[in-house]
Amino acid sequence: MDRIRDPRAELEELVPYDAKDIRAEVMLASNEHPSNLPGEVIDWLAERLDRFSFNRYPDPLASDLRTLIAEANGLEPANVLIGNGGDEIIFDILLAWGGPGRKMLDMPPTFAMYAIDAQATGTEVVSIPRLADFSADADAVIERVSRGDIDVVMVANPNNPTGNLVSETLLIDILNATDALVLVDEAYFEFSRHTMRPHMERHPNLVILRTFSKAFSLAGMRVGCLLGHEDVVRELTKVRQPYSVNAFSQWVASKVFRERVVFQQGIRDLMRTRDTLLHGLAQMDGVEVFPSEANFVMFRVEQASALWRDLLHGHSVLIRDFTRTPGLEDCLRVTVGSDEEVDRFLVATREVLSARRESQLLTNGAASRASGEKEVGD
Ligand code: PMP
């Protein structure tokens, strides 16, 4: 045969998640932690590495880590599922609660993986776009879930990439209005400190997502977790890959979680740097900056894609371009990096924008001189 049979028709429209591997000196595109693991954690791991069983399959449900996370959240291990990053858990939720003939409620602009995974699993996406200030359209959401045909609701809280929280009242109203599985994605919980954990007992359909990729410097290890009712966790174990979280990641994440107090100072430092970043952007002419409860900041500026390119090619600063996302025209998102990285970003942005203004002045000047000459000639 000289051809390949077509895959499922749904995939034709599907654009893969934009995970381009662009390298730059200053990497502020993926909401990662700017620092590697603390030296003492790396030393501890290094001292024990020769006794690590690379030859054995991992513990399928990551019992050690699962128990630690359960204890820290006042839950039983049966209420916790560990995944290969939060991404895997989102996919598993759509495998189990989505699928052909089923519906997911999404509130764009938001984390792109919800809609991508919905499409990949044949789940219908019901979109209730956010309002102009990026708050959720509470009335429309409640009206829509109250019709009773939604199977799963995705709420990123804080939202990525806009950085804002949904009100707790709205989340409770949603939970009261539907028996759909409601995923409150708290990937940035360590920065926002807002959680729906206290509402889990009253609402068995509430599930919470957390990740080790942000505040705990472990994006490369791919570890996330879900907190939820044991019946939900049991259903998810039916669709998940049994060994999806490798043994090394489980080992590292367990150590990091045991040492989590060590990360608190780093989180506080990042929040201070976020203020510097917000303030620096707010002072630039032509920049509209949005408040953030997470480790990133979104801002709007004219010709944003050109700024994105100039930052990368002229200054080796990589941020994220959202200008092609509906509702985020002219918006860019920058991660809160180290003080030095944020400083380099601010200096570079100021430079690009002021060079742009100068060239506009020159063009305008030349244009008005040209039209002036013309008038005289006329
Ligand atoms: N949810 C949200 C809102 C995110 O921003 C991210 C990371 N970009 C994730 C989930 C997934 O994170 P990870 O797979 O690294 O745990």
Side-chain angles (χ1 to χ4, degrees):
M1 284 286 166
D2 60 352
R3 57 199 158 80
I4 304 172
R5 183 177 288 245
D6 286 341
R8 283 168 45 216
E10 292 95 320
L11 300 196
E12 204 174 319
E13 301 280 290
L14 192 52
V15 182
Y17 181 73
D18 181 18
K20 288 192 214 83
D21 190 27
I22 305 174
R23 296 281 144 175
E25 283 166 26
V26 180
M27 304 276 286
L28 301 176
S30 300
N31 303 340
E32 297 148 326
H33 198 293
S35 310
N36 202 348
L37 287 181
E40 61 262 39
V41 175
I42 294 181
D43 290 347
W44 187 94
L45 295 167
E47 277 162 28
R48 287 156 184 80
L49 192 59
D50 60 348
R51 273 168 279 148
F52 187 83
S53 301
F54 289 96
N55 56 322
R56 299 291 173 199
Y57 278 103
D59 173 344
L61 289 171
S63 319
D64 185 37
L65 182 57
R66 193 185 196 201
T67 307
L68 286 172
I69 291 174
E71 274 169 11
N73 287 282
L75 295 165
E76 295 300 320
N79 300 119
V80 178
L81 184 70
I82 310 295
N84 188 301
D87 282 345
E88 188 201 13
I89 295 173
I90 294 167
F91 189 61
D92 289 345
I93 286 175
L94 283 158
L95 282 175
W97 263 263
R102 297 179 64 103
K103 298 189 179 90
M104 177 193 89
L105 188 137
D106 199 24
M107 300 179 206
T110 188
F111 187 42
M113 287 312 300
Y114 309 143
I116 291 174
D117 287 348
Q119 251 179 301
T121 54
T123 313
E124 184 181 328
V125 179
V126 175
S127 281
I128 307 283
R130 287 168 179 261
L131 304 175
D133 64 355
F134 303 125
S135 62
D137 188 343
D139 293 342
V141 169
I142 295 299
E143 190 279 318
R144 191 62 191 81
V145 293
S146 302
R147 287 194 222 166
D149 61 342
I150 299 291
D151 301 291
V152 54
V153 179
M154 300 297 196
V155 194
N157 210 38
N159 189 38
N160 176 15
T162 59
N164 58 320
L165 285 160
V166 166
S167 76
E168 195 168 300
T169 323
L170 173 59
L171 292 173
I172 293 168
D173 288 348
I174 295 173
L175 289 162
N176 283 329
T178 180
D179 62 354
L181 196 68
V182 178
L183 177 74
V184 179
D185 181 346
E186 298 181 355
Y188 301 93
F189 157 71
E190 290 79 10
F191 307 110
S192 77
R193 307 300 307 165
H194 281 268
T195 180
M196 287 297 282
R197 164 67 192 90
H199 301 281
M200 275 177 61
E201 278 72 18
R202 195 162 327 136
H203 298 285
N205 56 333
L206 165 64
V207 287
I208 293 173
L209 188 73
R210 302 265 175 85
T211 181
F212 281 75
S213 299
K214 315 295 177 186
F216 297 119
S217 295
L218 282 186
M221 288 285 96
R222 313 302 302 124
V223 184
C225 72
L226 171 129
L227 312 178
H229 193 280
E230 60 185 81
D231 292 348
V232 175
V233 172
R234 192 178 319 107
E235 294 307 308
L236 293 174
T237 58
K238 294 180 186 173
V239 297
R240 74 184 286 273
Q241 296 297 304
Y243 300 118
S244 63
V245 187
N246 72 72
F248 193 79
S249 294
Q250 292 186 28
W251 183 50
V252 176
S254 292
K255 176 63 181 167
V256 161
F257 199 72
R258 282 198 176 85
E259 303 297 333
R260 60 193 179 282
V261 285
V262 174
F263 291 80
Q264 287 310 316
Q265 187 56 47
I267 294 168
R268 278 194 293 273
D269 291 346
L270 281 177
M271 296 299 85
R272 226 175 322 106
T273 310
R274 181 182 67 194
D275 290 342
T276 311
L277 176 57
L278 279 167
H279 190 67
L281 279 168
Q283 283 184 325
M284 292 180 204
D285 274 348
V287 172
E288 182 188 4
V289 59
F290 299 96
S292 168
E293 302 285 340
N295 66 334
F296 56 82
V297 169
M298 200 179 70
F299 62 102
R300 185 176 276 143
V301 61
E302 262 181 40
Q303 297 171 43
S305 281
L307 172 60
W308 181 88
R309 268 194 310 276
D310 290 345
L311 286 174
L312 179 62
H313 300 305
H315 299 266
S316 200
V317 174
L318 179 66
I319 63 171
R320 186 66 68 100
D321 183 350
F322 280 96
T323 56
R324 279 174 297 277
T325 302
L328 299 181
E329 294 77 13
D330 275 335
C331 285
L332 302 173
R333 186 196 71 195
V334 53
T335 302
V336 181
S338 65
D339 284 345
E340 296 71 33
E341 289 170 328
V342 164
D343 194 50
R344 264 190 72 172
F345 161 76
L346 287 172
V347 168
T349 305
R350 251 180 241 122
E351 217 173 287
V352 173
L353 294 182
S354 72
R356 186 190 279 183
R357 260 192 308 279
E358 269 166 39
S359 83
Q360 269 163 0
L361 282 176
L362 283 176
T363 323
N364 292 348
S368 66
R369 271 198 306 283
S371 69
E373 280 160 18
K374 199 160 173 262
E375 266 171 34
V376 172
D378 277 346

